[in-house]
Amino acid sequence: MSRDRTRLVRTRRTWRGIAGAVTAIVLVGGGFAVANASTDTRTGKSAAGVKRPVDKKATGTAAVVSAANEFLNTLDADQQASTLLDLTQANATAWSNLPCGSSCRPGIQLGSLTDTQLAAAMKVLKLATGTGKNTGYDQITQIIKADDVLNSAQSTSSAGPAPSDTASSTASADPSATDTATATPTSTATDAPTDVPTGTPPSGGTGGGGLGGYGSGVYFLAFLGTPSATGTWQLHFGGHHLALNLTYKNGKVAGASPFFVGVEPTTWTDDDGTTYSPLATMRDGLLALTGSLSTEQLATAKLSESFSDVLLGPGQDGQFPETKEGIKVSTLSPKQKQLVLKAIHPWIANVDDATAKKLMKTYEHELNQTYVAYSGTTALDTQGDYVRIDGPGVWVEFVCQNGVVYRDQIHYHTVYRDHTRDYGSEFTFS
């Protein structure tokens, strides 16, 4: 059996439901700039023949770099070319909340990987992100699982094609939609961690636009710049309802944003009886904060605008409002100030715990210059309910939208930005 044929069989085993004779190598689309990944500049050898250094005892950022190298060592030259890209503004800002596959994001597709490659890819993400419940790596894997729920619900629905994931959907309720939708089970890899997401990617498995982008196989991992403890590079990962952008400079995280996350359905119960609510910690922190405000404080925090989506989503880099709105945190009680910090933390916890702790200290120092605002109601259960936290650095938005596949429910969009640290301050936006 040829190497390509062997890889195809393995891919089908891991991601059951990929239709057609697709190869396991998915080249990056959309004209993304490819770095010189296929040749080692020191030896001139093919990248597939050069083993990158792996240090099993490394910690911190060095461990992330080692895991990235370990993953790259599992790839052939073509796959490495899909994964190792130039750190350019065009590549870094290529992320979306839509199920648009490789047409709107760079990198190698998870659904194209073998069991071993998938486990290595997820190891990178696990080491780079936070360890808390419903935050960091745990939240990321739940968002990916949610896409399998969407894919399963859409494929079994008798209501016909649903609209694409936009804020303006007004379609009627989907009779097949319930809050106990079940993700399609798949075989698990013996060499993969138990928390590696599995599920059925959509038919075709290569991404693309519209509803063809639902499923755990349609997520993409890219390294923008070469992973190292001395240079500048970015870990770029995402798919529908997820965009993770971690920028490293000289062995430290220089930026943990933009971080976009959304979920539909907002909660569900899997076949094994496990209930998932990946954005519950974010929502509950905001509910506690707004619930602490007096009637007078709520009147000050109320925005005159209405919102159907987050302001600073994909393609809105640097578009922060010139004037801060809402209630200034310096006017709040000490207890309320602590609730603001507690509300911010779940977004910052997308990055590793040590970096998140440093960022939180910065945002605490800036707390008195931070504002809290809302639109709609503070219940966060109706289309247009919206909460914002805007400081000198931190920017958090959370909005409720009508469901797309689960049309009788709402779903959430939220984004974390930083006024000065987005993309590690590598780019300037007008």
Side-chain angles (χ1 to χ4, degrees), residues 238-261:
H240 175 234
H241 275 165
L242 178 64
L244 176 72
N245 298 279
L246 303 179
T247 307
Y248 297 85
K249 290 184 181 181
N250 298 321
K252 297 181 179 180
V253 177
S257 59
F259 175 55
F260 180 95
V261 64

Side-chain angles (χ1 to χ4, degrees), residues 59-328:
T59 59
T61 300
V64 178
V65 172
S66 178
N69 286 341
E70 187 175 6
F71 171 61
L72 290 169
N73 286 341
T74 69
L75 307 180
D76 65 27
D78 288 333
Q79 290 175 311
Q80 286 194 23
S82 298
T83 307
L84 275 171
L85 309 173
D86 286 337
L87 179 55
T88 64
Q89 183 169 319
N91 283 343
T93 59
W95 56 272
S96 178
N97 63 277
L98 296 173
C100 45
S102 62
S103 67
C104 64
R105 52 183 63 90
I108 192 165
Q109 185 173 328
L110 293 192
S112 75
L113 302 177
T114 66
D115 296 355
T116 299
Q117 291 169 335
L118 177 62
M122 299 309 293
K123 180 179 178 181
V124 178
L125 294 172
K126 189 167 188 177
L127 288 171
T129 53
T131 62
K133 180 177 173 58
N134 282 350
T135 61
Y137 185 75
D138 181 55
Q139 184 182 64
I140 287 169
T141 55
Q142 288 189 54
I143 295 302
I144 296 174
K145 289 175 186 289
D147 239 30
D148 282 328
V149 176
L150 278 183
N151 185 51
S152 178
Q154 179 220 319
S155 64
T156 59
S157 172
S158 60
S164 60
D165 186 0
T166 64
S168 59
S169 171
T170 56
S172 59
D174 181 348
S176 69
T178 69
D179 61 1
T180 57
T182 303
T184 305
T186 67
S187 59
T188 56
T190 57
D191 59 348
T194 56
D195 51 6
V196 169
T198 58
T200 306
S203 177
T206 58
L211 298 180
Y214 288 158
S216 57
V218 197
Y219 284 75
F220 295 79
L221 174 64
F223 303 135
L224 309 185
T226 302
S228 72
T230 56
T232 301
W233 64 284
Q234 184 186 108
L235 192 164
H236 189 98
F237 178 75
H240 175 234
H241 275 165
L242 178 64
L244 176 72
N245 298 279
L246 303 179
T247 307
Y248 297 85
K249 290 184 181 181
N250 298 321
K252 297 181 179 180
V253 177
S257 59
F259 175 55
F260 180 95
V261 64
V263 69
E264 183 185 3
T266 59
T267 185
W268 74 94
T269 301
D270 219 337
D271 278 343
D272 63 2
T274 302
T275 297
Y276 298 93
S277 300
L279 268 62
T281 302
M282 292 175 166
R283 178 203 62 205
D284 291 349
L286 294 175
L287 288 175
L289 169 59
T290 56
S292 76
L293 300 179
S294 67
T295 301
E296 183 179 357
Q297 289 172 326
L298 284 170
T300 303
K302 181 82 170 183
L303 295 167
S304 60
E305 310 100 312
S306 59
F307 297 86
S308 59
D309 204 346
V310 296
L311 283 180
L312 269 69
Q316 299 301 313
D317 301 294
Q319 302 303 305
F320 298 96
E322 293 183 4
T323 303
K324 296 188 185 301
E325 298 179 275
I327 187 167
K328 197 171 185 180

Side-chain angles (χ1 to χ4, degrees), residues 333-352:
S333 70
K335 183 177 180 180
Q336 289 173 319
K337 290 180 181 180
Q338 289 304 308
L339 289 175
V340 176
L341 288 174
K342 189 174 181 180
I344 291 171
H345 182 262
W347 280 267
I348 316 310
N350 81 87
V351 71
D352 69 272

